[in-house]
Amino acid sequence: MGEVIKYIGLIIENDCERITLSNPLSKQELYIKTVIERKGEIYQISKYTDKQVFHENIKLDNLSQRINELVELSHYRQVNAISRDTEHILLISKKGVCNYKKKSRVAKDNSNSSDSHNKKKNYILREGEIIQPLIDMGVFSQDGKIINSMYSKYRQINRFLEIIDDEISKCGISKLNIIDFGCGKSYLTFILYYYLTEIMKIDANVIGLDLKADVIEKCNTAAKKYGYSTLRFEQGDINGYNAPFDVDMVISLHACDTATDHALYNAVSWNAKYIFSVPCCQHELNYQMKPESLNILSRYGIVKERFAALATDAIRANLLEYCGYKTQLLEFIDFEHTPKNILIRASKRATTNKTVKEKALTEINALCNEFGFKPTLKSLIFGD
């Protein structure tokens, strides 16, 4: 273990932005991988099981010791770490022998190339701008340059804004009242507020809602630091939340399992004009799934899990169509980063077509009858 400690210390000295611990010795290990990312002045540790992810935050002073503990606890045999211009690779044999190497990283954007396929994309959030939330997230340096190891996060954030921009930029909106359910640490909430107020010049009144009091306190402190006067955070439950204003837009990012359904139901109840939701941890239909004739879809665990998740989002989309929304299921980020990459985008239709409603409901009922599904959002809407 002494050699492992030495190389991990060497890796940390290189100011790495992202460290991935993977390849556990046995398939019986609880965590299949652990990802450690720098978030401003702290490091966030994400420990992944087959179906869940658990988070903890630590300071730099404790990072080396915690990584050593995680490597020893989960018997990881590989460490990949990325600094600004270098990738560090540590391979650990079954007997604890280390093989350490490093290689230079090539920037993902080749803006000097004449090849049109390599031209730099015109992102909504442009490099070189001083956007304080992105700096505090560790995505931008103090002078507005993209941190190489955070380029995927930078693209993900811009993709989120592009999906919203596609919907609202054509409407000539001057004011929006927004509820962000399950806002967590609110990285995207701060970025959304910046986009709406600084780029789109929209009068945005935003409330972020979460169950954790300490998170809410930190977010309100950050909002004051940034001077975001019409962005505030409240402690509360998605289920039964009473909005203090007429809601124009509902955001729900990674609300776990049926919490997403309650967020969507609230949006429908308020007659919100826009809904943007990224579901997470969709267990409900997976547990209910009992096919009448298509047993092949429940035979293999991974197929059953993914089909149930897709069925959950398909039913949600159709229910929103039934409630008078034009609904799309969009790819949020590249599939290589996470299988949970679907974003639900819905906008209220001016008029509701009876045929569209009937077709949406018929399709929902057929799917539910085939697999024995009783989805929460359907029960909330119809009072089942």
Side-chain angles (χ1 to χ4, degrees):
M1 191 66 186
E3 193 176 18
V4 174
I5 293 173
K6 180 184 75 172
Y7 284 117
I8 288 176
L10 180 63
I11 288 171
I12 292 174
E13 287 175 2
N14 281 269
D15 193 27
C16 294
E17 299 287 341
R18 180 183 176 95
I19 302 171
T20 302
L21 314 178
S22 61
N23 192 16
L25 187 62
S26 167
K27 292 184 179 179
Q28 304 305 315
E29 300 292 348
L30 176 61
Y31 301 116
I32 57 176
K33 72 172 181 178
T34 296
V35 178
I36 303 164
E37 294 181 286
R38 189 169 72 181
K39 304 288 186 181
E41 297 180 356
I42 61 130
Y43 283 83
Q44 182 182 77
I45 300 177
S46 303
K47 296 173 289 186
Y48 291 82
T49 67
D50 282 332
K51 296 182 178 180
Q52 293 178 288
V53 57
F54 299 89
H55 299 288
E56 64 177 278
N57 294 327
I58 62 171
K59 295 182 179 180
L60 175 61
D61 294 344
N62 303 320
L63 182 59
S64 180
Q65 179 182 346
R66 190 68 183 109
I67 292 177
N68 292 330
E69 291 172 352
L70 289 167
V71 169
E72 186 173 14
L73 177 67
S74 297
H75 303 100
Y76 290 120
R77 297 170 59 194
Q78 184 166 339
V79 180
N80 291 78
I82 296 175
S83 57
R84 184 173 180 83
D85 54 7
T86 305
E87 180 179 5
H88 305 262
I89 304 169
L90 175 61
L91 304 177
I92 308 167
S93 73
K94 293 180 180 180
K95 296 182 179 180
V97 178
C98 295
N99 179 9
Y100 170 74
K101 58 183 177 181
K102 59 183 180 179
K103 60 182 181 180
S104 298
R105 300 182 68 238
V106 178
K108 297 193 177 186
D109 270 348
N110 183 9
S111 57
N112 294 323
S113 172
S114 60
D115 188 340
S116 61
H117 293 288
N118 288 329
K119 287 183 179 178
K120 199 169 186 177
K121 182 173 179 178
N122 186 23
Y123 288 113
I124 291 176
L125 302 178
R126 297 180 181 178
E127 184 176 13
E129 295 178 352
I130 304 303
I131 304 174
Q132 194 60 48
L134 286 182
I135 294 173
D136 290 348
M137 289 167 59
V139 176
F140 275 8
S141 64
Q142 291 293 335
D143 57 354
K145 300 296 183 182
I146 302 169
I147 304 298
N148 262 9
S149 60
M150 297 297 285
Y151 200 87
S152 293
K153 178 67 69 176
Y154 171 70
R155 286 193 298 151
Q156 179 187 0
I157 291 169
N158 275 282
R159 173 60 176 155
F160 173 66
L161 294 183
E162 287 168 3
I163 290 172
I164 292 179
D165 186 77
D166 286 345
E167 194 62 46
I168 70 172
S169 61
K170 57 192 176 186
C171 300
I173 296 171
S174 60
K175 183 176 181 179
L176 282 173
N177 291 329
I178 301 170
I179 299 290
D180 182 359
F181 281 122
C183 60
K185 295 178 181 177
S186 306
Y187 300 127
L188 284 178
T189 314
F190 289 120
I191 298 302
L192 173 64
Y193 186 88
Y194 174 88
Y195 156 76
L196 291 173
T197 59
E198 298 297 326
I199 297 178
M200 297 299 292
K201 305 302 180 183
I202 291 173
D203 180 10
N205 189 13
V206 184
I207 296 177
L209 187 73
D210 200 88
L211 290 171
K212 298 178 181 178
D214 59 331
V215 169
I216 293 302
E217 183 179 356
K218 290 178 182 177
C219 289
N220 277 320
T221 299
K224 290 180 181 178
K225 170 186 172 182
Y226 301 143
Y228 293 171
S229 58
T230 54
L231 169 61
R232 69 183 189 275
F233 298 88
E234 299 178 3
Q235 183 182 8
D237 194 344
I238 290 174
N239 187 10
Y241 178 74
N242 294 315
F245 44 54
D246 292 333
V247 180
D248 299 308
M249 181 185 295
V250 169
I251 307 286
S252 172
L253 304 181
H254 306 300
C256 191
D257 204 15
T258 57
T260 294
D261 297 299
H262 287 283
L264 295 177
Y265 177 67
N266 279 10
V268 169
S269 300
W270 293 329
N271 203 31
K273 299 181 181 70
Y274 307 102
I275 303 171
F276 299 92
S277 175
V278 178
C280 183
C281 303
Q282 296 144 298
H283 302 309
E284 182 184 40
L285 299 195
N286 189 15
Y287 297 148
Q288 296 176 1
M289 190 169 169
K290 296 177 182 178
E292 285 291 323
S293 57
L294 300 174
N295 293 306
I296 189 172
L297 290 174
S298 63
R299 181 172 300 154
Y300 309 102
I302 190 170
V303 173
K304 181 184 177 185
E305 179 185 355
R306 292 186 181 179
F307 174 77
L310 292 171
T312 301
D313 288 336
I315 290 171
R316 286 167 172 163
N318 264 34
L319 284 168
L320 291 175
E321 287 280 348
Y322 175 83
C323 292
Y325 288 84
K326 177 185 176 183
T327 309
Q328 298 169 287
L329 298 181
L330 305 172
E331 185 178 62
F332 183 31
I333 55 176
D334 295 337
F335 191 83
E336 65 183 278
H337 294 103
T338 174
K340 299 169 184 175
N341 69 330
I342 288 179
L343 184 146
I344 301 171
R345 179 171 72 185
S347 58
K348 190 69 175 177
R349 297 179 186 272
T351 58
T352 303
N353 186 301
K354 184 178 180 181
T355 302
V356 170
K357 290 184 61 173
E358 290 176 349
K359 181 180 179 183
L361 187 57
T362 298
E363 292 172 348
I364 292 168
N365 290 334
L367 186 59
C368 290
N369 291 338
E370 170 62 37
F371 292 98
F373 292 150
K374 295 180 180 179
T376 292
L377 184 57
K378 184 172 183 284
S379 298
L380 290 170
I381 290 172
F382 292 100
D384 296 343

